[in-house]
Amino acid sequence: MKAKWPFLIICLLLLSEAAFSQTYLVVRKKGSMRKYEYFVGSKIVYKQKGQEVFFTDRITEFADSTLVLENNILHTSQITEIDVRGAESNRSKFLGASETLLPTVGIGLMAIDLFNHTVVDGQKFSLDRSTTTTAGILMLTGYTMKIARRKKVNLTNPKFEIYIVGLK
């Protein structure tokens, strides 16, 4: 009786792992830990070989090295560029939140300082130099982070690769 419980637990673990395995598309730079993932049901924005415009479609299935989309069927080698802004990424959530939060905090800091000088202290319409500098640095940092973030991956560049993980 005692030997049955560990065997049962091991079987359940193996079955649950097989039940929760998922197939997804990975786009990454070789030698880097940063990756962008697309799952079934995800929206993908891509540029196809021989085309000059980006197409937006939803992934319905993966087969071999093929993406089955709602309006198209593509082999991974037919994709030349991907817009990765809508992809799942292993990028820090803190960095993503900072892109929006830092400029907001900077504008809020300037507004509070302006309110404090004009309404509370009763002075004329003016801003404190050090507060304005700090607010400007916060806004500049947030917008620079937003600009510096990767938006598109050019798959014709050999540094990047695209593949499907989890096929059985």
Side-chain angles (χ1 to χ4, degrees):
M1 184 70 179
K2 290 182 182 180
K4 289 182 181 180
W5 283 108
F7 179 73
L8 180 65
I9 290 173
I10 290 172
C11 288
L12 287 174
L13 284 173
L14 291 175
L15 287 174
S16 66
E17 183 179 330
F20 290 114
S21 66
Q22 188 172 11
T23 304
Y24 57 97
L25 178 74
V26 175
V27 178
R28 72 179 194 99
K29 185 175 182 180
K30 294 177 184 175
S32 172
M33 295 297 291
R34 177 67 38 86
K35 63 182 177 179
Y36 303 97
E37 300 172 340
Y38 291 92
F39 299 92
V40 172
S42 299
K43 184 178 84 168
I44 185 169
V45 180
Y46 63 94
K47 190 184 285 188
Q48 193 174 349
K49 267 186 187 169
Q51 301 292 325
E52 294 297 321
V53 295
F54 280 91
F55 297 99
T56 302
D57 216 337
R58 189 163 307 279
I59 300 171
T60 57
E61 188 181 346
F62 296 107
D64 270 348
S65 298
T66 306
L67 281 79
V68 180
L69 306 170
E70 284 182 347
N71 300 315
N72 203 355
I73 297 175
L74 285 176
H75 191 271
T76 54
S77 64
Q78 291 178 297
I79 301 173
T80 58
E81 199 169 344
I82 293 183
D83 186 340
V84 293
R85 285 180 278 195
E88 294 289 322
S89 175
N90 60 351
R91 182 173 186 247
S92 170
K93 301 295 180 204
F94 177 75
L95 289 176
S98 296
E99 291 176 0
T100 306
L101 190 63
L102 287 174
T104 305
V105 169
I107 292 169
L109 181 63
M110 280 185 21
I112 289 171
D113 183 53
L114 182 64
F115 181 80
N116 190 29
H117 276 290
T118 56
V119 176
V120 176
D121 292 343
Q123 298 175 1
K124 63 179 183 169
F125 187 79
S126 66
L127 293 170
D128 183 45
R129 182 177 172 92
S130 61
T131 305
T132 305
T133 304
T134 304
I137 290 171
L138 288 170
M139 290 188 294
L140 184 67
T141 303
Y143 289 129
T144 302
M145 289 172 66
K146 189 173 289 234
I147 290 168
R149 180 184 50 177
R150 183 179 305 281
K151 294 167 185 62
K152 295 176 185 164
V153 172
N154 185 359
L155 295 170
T156 58
N157 186 342
K159 291 181 182 179
F160 293 99
E161 63 185 349
I162 182 171
Y163 54 92
I164 297 173
V165 175
L167 290 175
K168 293 178 181 173

